[in-house]
Amino acid sequence: MTVPTGTADVLLRTEGRAGFVTLNRPRALNALTHAMVLAVDEALTAWEHDPAVETVVIDGAGERGLCAGGDIRAIHDDARAGGTASAAFWRDEYRLNARIARYPKPYVALMDGIVMGGGVGISAHGSHRVVTERSRVAMPETGIGFVPDVGGTYLLGRAPGELGTHLALTGTPVGAADAILAGLADRYVPAAGLPALADDLTRLPAGEALARHAATPPPGALAGQREWIDACYAAPTVEEIVERLFDTGLPAAKETAATLLTRSPSALKATLAVLRRSRALATLEEVLDLEYRASCAALATPDLVEGIRAQVIDKDRDPHWSPATLEAVTDADVARHLVPPPGGDLGLAGGGEGPGRGPGARA
């Protein structure tokens, strides 16, 4: 049996009945690199066939969060250079997301602190997803000229009503109760209780350990906003969504409309198209294939480089989108996000193995 070795950025250990994966780039909020994705996948392979490991647990080093997403500085540099490294990274990352969803053993994600983008992909497809009072869960891609990926549109497309559309388009971070309501998490455990939970996971079945520590989360905001969210986001276009939000007269809805107008117009329209198409797809693998198309298309647009520059590189928070308005984004601009990229499709949907959590994964 091959024993996973990990890397400096992915720490691996086994204790009792559990295997622990710790993302270990705390200064970068544990942002995922390609090497980290491959190390996690190697560990899952080894532990899947190791009878001594009955549960896999993933967490993040430091106190700020599980994972803030992919290494977008590297994506920025690759996009500027017209390279292929980002597409190769996404191929392996999305395959890992699909693997987590169908992993045959309990996969417990401790979603403490910041969990965004790729952090959602490496956690929210697991069989047991734990949030705390410090959790801030989001798919913030439209703010950098990108489209929600890592199976994010699969999860958000199945959220109650139009909550997922709201979260996908705005990129708004949500706390524990709202993450559970939206289907991004299952259980709430106070942050102070995570060490005791981890200890119990080394000795007990995952479900039993979680039942010992689960509590009721502090109230969220989304449940009380369902009426205007569902009514406004049911509109057929982004332009009409914004119009409906302004027309409600409600301060929260009008603030949301103003937020949408700061996002990449191209990314907003592509996100709405991908999200609505994903709802009609049966499996996570099919959605990941669709998202891979959208990701590769976004890589070739000016907005991705500009969005990362404004938010991460220069941090001036003043992106200059191209096109600059929703009305200027054409149907052809959106359609480019839905067709196979020059290098070919991801091809996950043809693998013959759909997602889902079998009886063993729920133990």
Side-chain angles (χ1 to χ4, degrees), residues 318-333:
D318 184 28
H320 297 277
W321 305 122
S322 179
T325 66
L326 289 166
E327 292 74 18
V329 180
T330 67
D331 290 344
D333 292 331

Side-chain angles (χ1 to χ4, degrees), residues 9 35 40 46 49 86 162 189 196 228 236 254 276 283 295 307-308 325 341:
D9 294 336
V40 174
H49 303 289
S86 296
E162 295 294 336
V189 175
W228 63 262
K254 293 169 71 174
R276 290 187 168 165
T283 68
S295 297
I308 297 174
T325 66

